Amino acid sequence: MSVLEQLNQLRSEAEGEIVKASSQQEIDELWVRFFGRKAGELTTILRGVKDVPAEERPSVGKLANEVKAQIEELFKIQKERIYQDSLNERLASEKIDVTLPGVWNKPGRIHLLNATMRRIKEVFKGLGYSVVSGPEVETDYYNFEALNIPANHPSREMWDSFFLREGLLMRSQTSSNQIHVMEKQDPPVRIISPGKCYRRDSVDATHFWEFHQIEGLLVDEKVTFSDLKGTLELFAKGMFGSRRKTRFNPSYFPFTEPSAEVMVDCFVCEGKGCRVCKNSGWIEIMGSGMVHPHVLRNVGYDPEKYTGFAFGMGVERVAMLTYALDDIRVLFENDQRFLDQF
Ligand code: DAH
């Protein structure tokens, strides 16, 4: 075949092939087939032009240049087409209809109980307390025995517990964490310990079988009842407002001696008497007392050298007072219509 024929044949082949290429990869492969440095079909023909007899060379050279330019043009057009096609495809697949109504994800929010717990923690952190947690499944020793509540002691009635197998129970008070903390460290101790507790209480407006407590414990040399009063007074003011007053009523807990109920003047009626304070002007917010020497001895502390105070409050109760709720169950039902109000 003469060079002219070869060129013409190559041109018609290129015309047929290039338009069929439908991807960048195919077009690149075709480019190599025609223009590849070593074995490209057109490259090979062009290389042979020098062997053409001198008189034919001008016409062959002219056609060769023409064919080369034409094929290059075909490549250019096809590349542009491939680019446009893929662009259109992407635009079609990524098209968004800005007139469609949006999907609204309701933002999450902090549950009332957690919000209450956070506030309590903040107040005590400000007083230099650290926050520790402990196990929800306890042994009789930590939940009772070490807290000076021996087996068969009548005060066990205060904690109607859920018992599990092998002497284990669901902790019925966070006071158990006092023991865990003191066993692990020497005085001074200054902690609060929030967590879930469980009791076999019948459910009513103020009782639920699962609830939260925050325990507090401070042990050091020369800690007195006035430290307890000062600390809890500061807490009451930090939590319920700087105008609040506190009162301490004698009470009984086996792990504290003396023990006291902490009362704060009613922040709803300012002490005048209302439904929330049951017309007494005062609201009980927690139990407290000076850590019993038996408890200190149980963890290996010397009660002659160290004294301390402890306190424990029900988070649900504080939340109910703060948000004026009259039924504890709303805190566990998680009804959106209720939660949305806060
Ligand atoms: N654990 C007690 C309860 O469940 C509350 C309590 C009272 C905790 C006095 C204390 C305390 O640390 O000193 O009713």
Side-chain angles (χ1 to χ4, degrees), residues 116-130:
T116 306
M117 228 161 346
R118 283 189 185 191
R119 275 191 59 199
I120 298 172
K121 280 193 232 173
E122 283 315 309
V123 175
F124 281 108
K125 277 197 214 160
L127 296 172
Y129 284 68
S130 38

Side-chain angles (χ1 to χ4, degrees), residues 265-301:
D265 64 330
C266 181
F267 39 77
V268 177
C269 64
E270 298 281 339
K272 286 190 213 61
C274 69
R275 204 172 60 105
V276 174
C277 61
K278 301 200 184 85
N279 280 321
S280 71
W282 294 91
I283 299 171
E284 188 216 319
I285 54 166
M286 65 175 116
S288 69
M290 301 305 291
V291 182
H292 199 292
H294 287 180
V295 176
L296 296 175
R297 228 172 263 129
N298 285 340
V299 296
Y301 286 7

